[in-house]
Amino acid sequence: EEGEGPCSVFGVSEEAAPFLIAALTQGQKSALVVVASEREAGKLADRLSPLCDSAVIELFPREIQFRSFFARSRELADSRIAAIDRLVLGEPCILVACAEAAMQRMAPPSAFAAAELSLSPGDRAEQTELAGKLRAAGYERVAKVDAPGQFRLAGSLFDVFPSGAKTPYRVEFFDDEVDGIRAYDPETQRSTGSASSVRIPPATEAPLSPEAVARGVERLKEIGRKRALSPLCERLSTALTGGDGDVAD
């Protein structure tokens, strides 16, 4: 009743579970509900949504893919990032997760929060440095921005599609100062209205700070020395830093 500590409930029927959970979480800032399988998590989230005042979010388990992009993986990754972003911001929600998703290790909230960027007219930002921060935060530099997690720099224009956003934004620079911000349609490239600011959360679960990159490089060197893998670890270190100390794409 006082909202302290975990609560394990057994023997509740599938039909009654959503009502019991809604009652237990009433008035709570946030709650995590763990069930056995991904199928159960989806069903429970659908049934909980109309019963709860707070947003009900399903946390999918992370997929491991051994190739760069895979349609469903990107969709799942975006879903997980949106859930993490909401938790880091402290926005009330009920997170429903299967056991697999709940057990997967995640980056510290401080690392996710530190990688967030925000731009408003009048702010100053050196564009090369801005591009490096976006790459470290999981964004992909492209020729044309048409999907979340992408950005483009072209002269005084900076296009970005923030993770979790419904529309991309075009930031106009005058030298290193933000001169204006507009939302736009990625298909027509036409402006849909000005914006007072644009918030750019990370597009990856594990954004890389310069300190994290340095620790990774040192660890790779240590592994290389111990296990006679120096050439491989050296190549990985170079790829991680882009060869010049900056975080690679």
Side-chain angles (χ1 to χ4, degrees), residues 30-34 45 48 55-60 79-80 83-84 86-87 93-97 106:
S30 289
L32 169 65
V33 181
V34 181
L48 266 179
V56 176
I57 301 173
E58 182 181 357
L59 182 66
F60 295 94
S79 172
R80 285 179 58 87
I84 295 168
R86 191 178 189 103
L87 291 172
C93 68
I94 297 173
L95 201 65
V96 181
M106 304 172 78

Side-chain angles (χ1 to χ4, degrees), residues 88-158:
V88 170
L89 290 174
E91 296 179 355
C93 68
I94 297 173
L95 201 65
V96 181
C98 65
E100 180 185 357
M103 291 174 66
Q104 290 174 336
R105 297 186 67 176
M106 304 172 78
S110 57
F112 194 88
E116 178 185 312
L117 297 172
S118 181
L119 294 173
S120 301
D123 289 349
R124 303 193 73 88
E126 202 278 316
Q127 292 189 32
T128 302
E129 182 181 349
L130 180 62
K133 288 181 178 179
L134 286 171
R135 291 198 301 270
Y139 282 79
E140 178 190 12
R141 187 167 184 172
V142 296
K144 180 183 177 183
V145 171
D146 56 16
Q150 297 178 341
F151 77 97
R152 169 180 175 264
L153 279 170
S156 62
L157 297 180
F158 163 58

Side-chain angles (χ1 to χ4, degrees), residues 114-230:
E116 178 185 312
L117 297 172
S118 181
L119 294 173
S120 301
D123 289 349
R124 303 193 73 88
E126 202 278 316
Q127 292 189 32
T128 302
E129 182 181 349
L130 180 62
K133 288 181 178 179
L134 286 171
R135 291 198 301 270
Y139 282 79
E140 178 190 12
R141 187 167 184 172
V142 296
K144 180 183 177 183
V145 171
D146 56 16
Q150 297 178 341
F151 77 97
R152 169 180 175 264
L153 279 170
S156 62
L157 297 180
F158 163 58
D159 294 346
V160 62
F161 204 138
S163 178
K166 296 181 179 179
T167 183
Y169 291 84
R170 178 159 291 153
V171 181
E172 298 177 2
F173 280 89
F174 181 76
D175 196 12
D176 286 343
E177 183 176 328
V178 177
D179 194 41
I181 302 173
R182 296 179 287 119
Y184 71 94
D185 185 323
E187 293 296 327
T188 65
Q189 296 290 301
R190 292 182 178 177
S191 172
T192 58
S194 60
S196 58
S197 64
V198 57
R199 176 177 170 270
I200 311 172
T204 177
E205 290 185 40
L208 290 174
S209 66
E211 295 76 18
V213 171
R215 288 197 301 270
V217 169
E218 287 304 312
R219 180 62 177 144
L220 283 168
K221 290 179 179 178
E222 181 183 337
I223 293 171
R225 289 192 296 269
K226 287 184 177 180
R227 302 184 182 179
L229 295 172
S230 295

